């Protein structure tokens, strides 16, 4: 058997990096509309990747990265509800893909990274089944446009976050707080995923099609029966409804049963749609891992989902409660390191997560995002981001352990290729291997981590492989 080449790369997302928000026929996205209406910091320019992609891809190649994970902006490609195709949008992404190929970089393409067209949000977005049909059409257009140029296609990036943040915590558009809407939107996204997979296979598209999920390795803080149930509830809530459904073709049955017992309406799920989901599972999984979740059994109180978009300015606690399901106990883990946004740093979680997923999925797995966000003063010259180097090194160490034990891990992508717009955190939360001077023409300045990552790839991570975990 031919040995698979490991992909070592970095990742971005269209709205967060491109800018050019209204150029060359691009339609308005949900995020364009929301941020303009609310007068919030936006991604109108972002990192200006729309005009600087050649420079950025060349810089990745010089950094010895052999893959680039990026997303296609739906409203840049499909102009309206009629499904009319914007040829300039197609040509833009063709140029990116060809630039990757010319630089020896494997394009790893995501169809949807949260920038829903506003014309679909206006008819209910993911609450409306028409959005599933529109998504299938969009995917068919890009699949066929780039057939033979792309090997790895992802339908969605992190369904949990754009659904739960939009309909549960209410901190992302459309800013609702309704668990029943969460359930309906989750169902439609998984249906849309299956519809896209079906189109991919019917058209005979070359390559593989998968999905990228946010993955939070769940740990309990006690060994009781109630503690074990809380772990299972949290795993279903955070991970399984997306990962298991996409890879096994069925929503977790104990999850469905609990939702029904809790009185939620599931009558919108149709037999023919559930059959379509069952028959159109993904070829691979992408896991975005940053941090674990520690949970305890539910005790009391209404559902209250906490989000920190303020970093060091945030003064509250992060005690998320999902009524009748579980409580987040991260605040109790005082001995574990965390970043300025309260995110626990626990590299072993990447190994434990890969082990759990590998036990039930026998296809390729990629770590499609992993990285460290921080405040950084780029005006001081060279950015000495040893904290980011430490974070990446230790996570890769555990990833290599998983691969050495036979888990089918095919790649790793740092979030992010360069500093970009980080949703409601704005641009002050920097994740990039390369700094972006947003005040001076989005000039690129490689950080210490960029050079370190380059050298580790060149040396096949020998020093990391030799370390102990």
């Amino acid at each position: 058997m031919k040995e698979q080449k490991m992909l070592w790369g970095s990742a971005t997302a269209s709205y967060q990096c491109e800018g050019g928000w209204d150029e060359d026929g691009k339609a308005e996205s949900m995020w364009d509309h929301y941020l303009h209406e609310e007068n919030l910091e936006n991604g109108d320019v972002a990192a200006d990747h729309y005009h600087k992609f050649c420079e950025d891809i060349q810089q990745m190649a010089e950094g010895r990265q052999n893959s680039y994970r990026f997303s296609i902006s739906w409203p840049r490609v499909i102009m309206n509800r009629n499904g009319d195709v914007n040829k300039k949008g197609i040509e833009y992404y063709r140029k990116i893909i060809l630039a990757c190929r010319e630089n020896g970089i494997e394009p790893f393409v995501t169809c949807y990274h949260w920038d829903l067209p506003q014309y679909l949000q206006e008819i209910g977005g993911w609450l409306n089944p028409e959005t599933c049909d529109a998504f299938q059409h969009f995917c068919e257009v890009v699949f066929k446009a780039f057939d033979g140029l792309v090997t790895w296609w992802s339908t969605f990036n992190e369904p949990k976050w754009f659904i739960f943040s939009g309909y549960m915590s209410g901190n992302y558009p459309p800013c609702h707080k309704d668990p029943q809407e969460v359930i309906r939107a989750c169902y439609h996204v998984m249906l849309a995923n299956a519809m896209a997979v079906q189109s991919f296979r019917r058209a005979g598209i070359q390559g593989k099609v998968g999905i990228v999920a946010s993955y939070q390795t769940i740990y309990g803080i006690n060994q009781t029966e109630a503690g074990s149930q809380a772990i299972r509830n949290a795993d279903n809530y955070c991970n399984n409804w997306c990962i298991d459904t996409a890879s096994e073709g069925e929503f977790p049955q104990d999850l469905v049963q609990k939702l029904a017992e809790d009185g939620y309406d599931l009558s919108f799920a149709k037999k023919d749609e559930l059959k379509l989901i069952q028959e159109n599972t993904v070829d691979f999984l992408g896991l975005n891992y940053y941090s674990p979740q520690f949970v305890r059994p539910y005790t009391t109180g209404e559902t209250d989902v906490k989000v920190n978009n303020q970093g060091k300015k945030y003064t509250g606690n992060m005690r998320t409660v999902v009524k009748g399901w579980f409580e987040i106990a991260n605040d109790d883990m005082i001995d574990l390191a965390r970043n300025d946004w309260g995110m626990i740093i626990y590299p072993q979680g990447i190994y434990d997560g890969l082990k759990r997923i590998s036990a039930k999925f026998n296809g390729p797995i990629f770590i499609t995002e992993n990285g460290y966000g921080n405040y950084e003063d780029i005006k001081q010259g060279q950015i000495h981001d040893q904290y980011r180097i430490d974070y990446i090194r230790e996570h890769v160490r555990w990833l290599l352990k998983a691969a050495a034990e036979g888990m089918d891990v095919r790649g790793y992508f740092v979030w992010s290729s360069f500093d970009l717009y980080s949703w409601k955190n704005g641009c002050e939360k920097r994740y990039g291997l390369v700094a972006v001077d947003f005040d001076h023409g989005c000039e690129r300045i490689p950080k210490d981590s960029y050079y370190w990552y380059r050298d580790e790839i060149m040396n096949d991570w020998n020093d990391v492989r030799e370390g102990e975990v």
Side-chain angles (χ1 to χ4, degrees):
M1 181 183 293
K2 183 179 178 181
E3 184 177 353
Q4 296 288 338
K5 183 179 182 181
M6 189 78 165
L7 297 183
W8 296 104
S10 57
T12 65
S14 50
Y15 184 80
Q16 294 180 260
C17 75
E18 286 179 2
W21 78 278
D22 61 351
E23 291 188 42
D24 295 330
K26 178 185 169 294
E28 184 181 40
S29 76
M30 171 177 68
W31 278 91
D32 293 323
H33 184 83
Y34 166 73
L35 295 169
H36 291 160
E37 287 287 309
E38 298 297 321
N39 196 31
L40 297 171
E41 184 179 351
N42 58 55
D44 288 1
V45 176
D48 200 24
H49 189 56
Y50 192 69
H51 302 106
K52 293 178 176 287
F53 68 89
C54 286
E55 171 189 344
D56 291 328
I57 291 170
Q58 184 177 355
Q59 196 162 57
M60 294 172 203
E62 291 171 355
R64 299 298 188 267
Q65 297 174 41
N66 63 8
S67 189
Y68 173 36
R69 178 174 174 253
F70 63 92
S71 72
I72 293 176
S73 169
W74 185 350
R76 197 179 293 284
V77 170
I78 306 297
M79 297 187 289
N80 49 44
R81 281 178 63 190
N82 293 331
D84 294 330
V85 177
N86 178 16
K87 293 181 179 179
K88 289 185 177 180
I90 292 291
E91 284 310 304
Y92 168 66
Y93 292 107
R94 183 179 301 278
K95 290 176 184 176
I96 288 183
I97 292 166
L98 291 176
C100 286
R101 290 295 182 194
E102 290 165 2
N103 282 277
I105 289 176
E106 184 77 34
F108 199 102
V109 181
T110 303
C111 294
Y112 183 79
H113 197 129
W114 306 7
D115 43 358
L116 184 74
Q118 178 62 20
Y119 56 75
L120 290 173
Q121 182 55 42
E122 288 172 355
I123 61 168
W126 290 110
L127 299 177
N128 189 334
E130 185 176 322
T131 300
C132 301
D133 297 321
F135 181 72
Q136 184 177 34
H137 170 64
F138 161 55
C139 288
E140 288 175 352
V141 167
V142 295
F143 289 159
K144 293 174 181 177
F146 308 126
D147 186 21
L149 292 174
V150 175
T151 301
W152 302 100
W153 289 95
S154 304
T155 55
F156 287 96
N157 176 79
E158 297 186 338
K160 182 209 168 182
W161 285 121
F162 73 80
I163 295 299
F164 282 56
S165 295
Y167 297 95
M168 190 77 162
S169 63
N171 65 310
Y172 286 177
C175 302
H176 296 181
K177 294 184 178 183
D178 187 334
Q180 181 67 60
E181 289 187 351
V182 171
I183 297 165
R184 182 181 290 269
C186 288
Y187 174 79
H188 284 151
V189 168
M190 299 318 298
L191 174 61
N193 170 74
M195 291 167 68
V197 171
Q198 180 187 59
S199 291
F200 186 91
R201 300 212 172 106
R202 280 183 174 176
I205 303 299
Q206 300 175 62
K208 303 292 184 181
V209 62
I211 194 168
V212 170
S214 56
Y215 190 82
Q216 293 173 288
T217 313
I218 307 298
Y219 300 96
I221 64 170
N222 62 55
Q223 303 301 314
T224 64
E225 182 178 345
S228 297
Q229 186 60 55
I231 292 172
R232 177 62 183 178
N233 289 343
D235 207 14
N236 279 340
Y237 175 94
C238 293
N239 303 316
N240 298 335
W241 71 266
C242 174
I243 292 172
D244 290 8
T245 309
S247 63
E248 300 175 17
E250 187 175 63
F251 290 95
Q253 288 305 295
D254 58 338
L255 169 64
V256 174
Q257 181 179 349
K258 182 160 182 55
L259 290 173
E261 290 173 353
D262 286 355
Y264 292 107
D265 177 19
L266 307 179
S267 63
F268 54 80
K270 302 175 182 177
K271 287 186 178 180
D272 59 332
E273 293 173 345
L274 292 171
K275 186 171 186 291
L276 192 151
I277 291 171
Q278 185 179 52
E279 294 175 347
N280 294 279
T281 54
V282 295
D283 297 318
F284 70 89
L285 291 172
L287 305 180
N288 293 354
Y289 175 83
Y290 292 90
S291 185
Q293 290 279 35
F294 292 86
V295 302
R296 65 160 65 88
Y298 169 77
T299 55
T300 186
E302 298 299 314
T303 295
D304 186 14
V305 179
K306 301 289 183 63
V307 180
N308 179 4
N309 288 131
Q310 298 177 294
K312 291 182 289 189
K313 300 175 185 175
Y314 184 81
T315 57
N317 63 54
M318 294 298 291
R319 290 185 178 276
T320 283
V321 173
V322 180
K323 186 177 182 180
W325 288 54
F326 63 92
E327 298 177 8
I328 298 295
N330 286 1
D331 280 0
D332 293 339
M333 310 306 293
I334 57 176
D335 293 333
L336 296 180
R338 59 191 74 214
N339 69 8
D340 285 337
W341 278 261
M343 184 178 291
I344 288 175
I345 300 170
Y346 193 67
Q348 183 180 333
I350 207 168
Y351 168 83
D352 292 338
L354 286 167
K355 191 171 184 177
R356 294 177 190 182
I357 296 299
S358 296
K360 58 183 178 180
F361 177 71
N362 62 5
I365 305 172
F366 298 84
I367 296 299
T368 34
E369 287 183 25
N370 178 243
Y372 191 95
N374 202 48
Y375 298 100
E376 289 167 347
D377 184 1
I378 68 167
K379 296 179 177 60
Q380 298 300 316
Q382 181 63 31
I383 296 91
H384 303 299
D385 54 342
Q386 186 62 42
Y387 43 83
R388 182 170 291 111
I389 292 171
D390 293 342
Y391 179 94
I392 295 171
R393 183 187 60 247
E394 295 311 307
H395 283 81
V396 170
R397 194 190 304 279
W398 282 98
L399 177 145
L400 292 172
K401 175 178 170 62
E405 293 179 3
M407 300 176 212
D408 193 4
V409 187
R410 301 282 186 91
Y412 173 87
F413 295 84
V414 174
W415 184 268
S416 53
S417 306
F418 43 83
D419 292 339
L420 34 66
Y421 174 81
S422 192
W423 307 110
K424 288 180 76 172
N425 295 292
C427 292
E428 69 174 357
K429 188 179 187 182
R430 295 174 179 266
Y431 277 95
L433 295 171
V434 175
V436 173
D437 188 342
F438 297 106
D439 297 326
H440 296 91
C442 290
E443 178 189 357
R444 271 50 172 167
I445 309 164
K447 304 175 188 178
D448 284 359
S449 58
Y450 167 86
Y451 297 109
W452 172 85
Y453 193 51
R454 175 199 64 188
D455 293 345
E456 290 292 345
I457 294 170
M458 288 176 62
N459 296 324
D460 195 30
W461 301 88
N462 284 332
D463 63 318
V464 176
R465 292 177 191 276
E466 293 169 1
E468 295 292 330
V469 294

